[in-house]
């Protein structure tokens, strides 16, 4: 089992892969799969966030401010799990898979530069700078309230499904706040560990965190992120992204089908 | 700006050490478990059951007695604790730089983290 997980997870971290592998291949209870996924999300995001912080892209102020909404969402989401039927969770998860596939396919565009910031951003001093070719480039922060709302939803999904919700967090900072893409991804990474830790506290007491399942997954994911490199996330290669998105969609369909026929 | 850079580096350091230590603890526990139970296959029952109720005090007790499963649990707990330590460091940093709005924000996140960890059914 450990060998299988190690192989399957190398290079592909995150709940998006961990949960379907555990549920569809190892027939793990979906609650345990979510717990293991949550642990693996904390491990990988902490490791990479450490590196990004040193590079100076992460905007800690924005991260902490938006995290207030995300932790509330994560807390509520994790509390709701016991009231939600398992096949509903599986269906919701498959929808998240379709959405991630769509986001993977979408081409990212650079924003135009803004000369001013949203009033909340000014009050909270959220603007920042990021390193770019030997000098620091400044950026301004837009639409804070809608980013805060999306973060709440991201937290809720993270708590309900045991995922990092990284894609949705990046979306909030990229599309609402209009941050430079690299700042959005690194700040999202900074936040994921905290959001997931809030849910993990409640998962512990629900009994969803089974050490015997978490251990191989965690080791596999950490080793994977060290050696396997993030080939898929870093690649600009369009055909590889198409293959990846198609695979996610197929997994989503399988989860959806199993949920409807009561096999989860 | 310099203080800010130091803060980012300390948080990065905490995250790195915390993750490293927790993975090591879990590895030791996991290897112990494999030595003791290596040739048993995990029964489907374990994978399917849904009754693993834990509290942080119970984890501490079983890790102290050097049980392999307890060690893995301690590793997982250390990972979660790392997040608490980094948010606590931020509370301290904002307090030191007299940024009281962000002290409040980080304190709120810190309390939510601690509350969720102590939360019981």
């Amino acid at each position: 089992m450990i060998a299988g997980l190690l192989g399957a997870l190398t290079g592909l971290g995150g709940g998006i892969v961990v949960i379907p592998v555990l549920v569809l291949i190892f027939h793990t209870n979906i609650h345990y799969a979510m717990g293991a996924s949550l642990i693996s999300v904390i491990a990988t995001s902490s490791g990479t966030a450490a590196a990004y912080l040193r590079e100076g892209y992460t905007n800690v102020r924005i991260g902490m401010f938006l995290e207030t909404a995300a932790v509330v969402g994560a807390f509520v989401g994790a509390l709701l799990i016991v009231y939600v039927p398992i096949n509903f969770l599986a269906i919701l998860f498959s929808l998240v898979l379709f959405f991630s596939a769509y986001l993977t396919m979408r081409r990212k565009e650079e924003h135009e530069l803004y000369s001013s910031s949203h009033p909340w951003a000014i009050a909270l001093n959220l603007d920042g700078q990021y390193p770019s070719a030997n000098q620091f480039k400044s950026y301004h922060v837009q639409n804070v309230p809608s980013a805060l709302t999306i973060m709440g939803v991201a937290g809720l999904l993270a708590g309900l499904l045991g995922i990092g919700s990284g894609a949705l967090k990046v979306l909030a900072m990229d599309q609402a706040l209009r941050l430079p893409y690299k700042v959005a991804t690194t700040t999202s990474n900074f936040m994921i560990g905290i959001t997931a830790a809030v849910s993990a506290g409640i998962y512990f007491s629900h009994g969803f965190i089974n050490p015997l399942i978490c251990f191989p997954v965690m080791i596999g994911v950490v080793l994977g992120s060290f050696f396997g490199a993030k080939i898929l996330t870093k690649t600009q290669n369009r055909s590889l992204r198409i293959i990846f998105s198609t695979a996610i969609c197929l997994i989503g369909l399988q989860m959806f089908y199993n949920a409807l026929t009561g096999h989860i | 700006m310099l203080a800010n850079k130091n803060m980012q580096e300390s948080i990065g350091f905490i995250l790195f050490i915390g993750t490293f230590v927790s993975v090591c603890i879990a590895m030791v526990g996991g290897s112990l478990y494999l030595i003791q139970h290596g040739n048993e296959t995990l029964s489907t029952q374990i994978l399917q059951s849904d009754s693993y109720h834990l509290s942080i005090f119970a984890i501490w007790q079983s890790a102290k007695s050097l049980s392999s499963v307890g060690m893995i649990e301690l590793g997982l707990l250390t990972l979660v604790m790392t997040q608490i330590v980094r948010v606590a460091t931020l509370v301290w940093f904002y307090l030191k730089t007299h940024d009281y709005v962000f002290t409040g924000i980080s304190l709120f996140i810190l309390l939510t983290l601690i509350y969720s960890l102590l939360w019981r059914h």
Side-chain angles (χ1 to χ4, degrees), chain B residues 52-82:
Chain B
Y52 218 97
H53 291 264
L54 283 175
S55 76
I56 50 173
F57 307 106
I59 293 177
W60 181 241
Q61 286 301 327
S62 63
K64 255 200 330 201
S65 61
L66 288 179
S67 96
S68 53
V69 176
M71 294 274 281
I72 303 176
E73 286 165 357
L74 187 69
L76 304 182
L77 194 64
T78 312
L79 198 60
V80 177
M81 288 298 191
T82 306

Side-chain angles (χ1 to χ4, degrees), chain A residues 81-114:
Chain A
I81 294 179
V82 278
Y83 304 106
V84 173
I86 281 182
N87 47 2
F88 174 80
L89 289 178
I91 290 174
L92 193 62
F93 183 76
S94 58
L95 295 180
V96 170
L97 285 178
F98 295 142
F99 184 64
S100 317
Y102 162 74
L103 285 182
T104 311
M105 287 307 296
R106 210 174 52 110
R107 231 182 275 263
K108 62 168 203 248
E109 332 145 6
E110 285 301 322
H111 314 301
E112 69 261 49
L113 288 173
Y114 292 85

Side-chain angles (χ1 to χ4, degrees), chain A:
Chain A
M1 172 177 181
I2 292 170
L5 277 174
L6 275 176
L9 295 172
T10 303
L12 283 171
I16 294 285
V17 177
V18 171
I19 295 178
V21 167
L22 286 174
V23 171
L24 298 175
I25 300 176
F26 292 99
H27 303 289
T28 313
N29 180 316
I30 194 170
H31 284 157
Y32 279 164
M34 284 156 47
S37 151
L38 204 58
I39 292 293
S40 72
V41 162
I42 303 178
T44 43
S45 76
S46 299
T48 44
Y52 287 142
L53 275 165
R54 254 170 270 145
E55 286 173 28
Y57 286 100
T58 317
N59 187 323
V60 177
R61 294 179 76 86
I62 293 183
M64 290 303 277
F65 176 65
L66 295 180
E67 194 58 41
T68 52
V71 290
V72 174
F75 191 80
V76 175
L79 285 183
L80 283 177
I81 294 179
V82 278
Y83 304 106
V84 173
I86 281 182
N87 47 2
F88 174 80
L89 289 178
I91 290 174
L92 193 62
F93 183 76
S94 58
L95 295 180
V96 170
L97 285 178
F98 295 142
F99 184 64
S100 317
Y102 162 74
L103 285 182
T104 311
M105 287 307 296
R106 210 174 52 110
R107 231 182 275 263
K108 62 168 203 248
E109 332 145 6
E110 285 301 322
H111 314 301
E112 69 261 49
L113 288 173
Y114 292 85
S115 53
S116 64
S117 304
H118 188 273
W120 291 20
I122 297 170
L124 292 163
N125 191 15
L126 295 181
D127 286 353
Q129 295 177 319
Y130 69 101
S132 163
N134 298 330
Q135 51 169 351
F136 280 89
K137 260 188 170 167
S138 302
Y139 52 86
H140 293 283
V141 178
Q142 308 304 313
N143 215 339
V144 181
S146 60
L148 212 51
T149 315
I150 303 177
M151 283 302 167
V153 176
L156 195 69
L157 282 176
L160 258 179
L161 298 174
I163 56 176
S165 275
L168 205 54
K169 287 190 169 91
V170 170
L171 189 79
M173 286 184 275
D174 178 44
Q175 294 297 311
L177 296 184
R178 300 268 157 187
L179 298 184
Y181 202 70
K182 180 97 186 185
V183 177
T185 48
T186 52
T187 306
S188 149
N189 215 293
F190 174 82
M191 298 173 63
I192 286 174
I194 304 177
T195 321
V198 168
S199 308
I202 296 170
Y203 277 40
F204 266 118
S205 86
H206 281 327
F208 294 167
I209 297 188
N210 183 326
L212 297 182
I213 299 175
C214 288
F215 158 66
V217 173
M218 177 169 151
I219 305 294
V221 166
V222 169
L223 287 182
S225 65
F226 271 123
F227 300 114
K230 294 152 204 142
I231 309 160
L232 279 174
T233 46
K234 279 193 179 148
T235 185
Q236 293 297 318
N237 187 328
R238 187 140 181 87
S239 55
L240 209 56
R241 285 158 80 108
I242 294 176
I243 295 172
F244 183 56
S245 307
T246 318
I248 294 180
C249 280
L250 288 176
I251 297 171
L253 278 175
Q254 178 77 37
M255 287 285 277
F256 197 78
Y257 176 76
N258 283 14
L260 289 183
T261 51
H263 282 100
I264 284 179

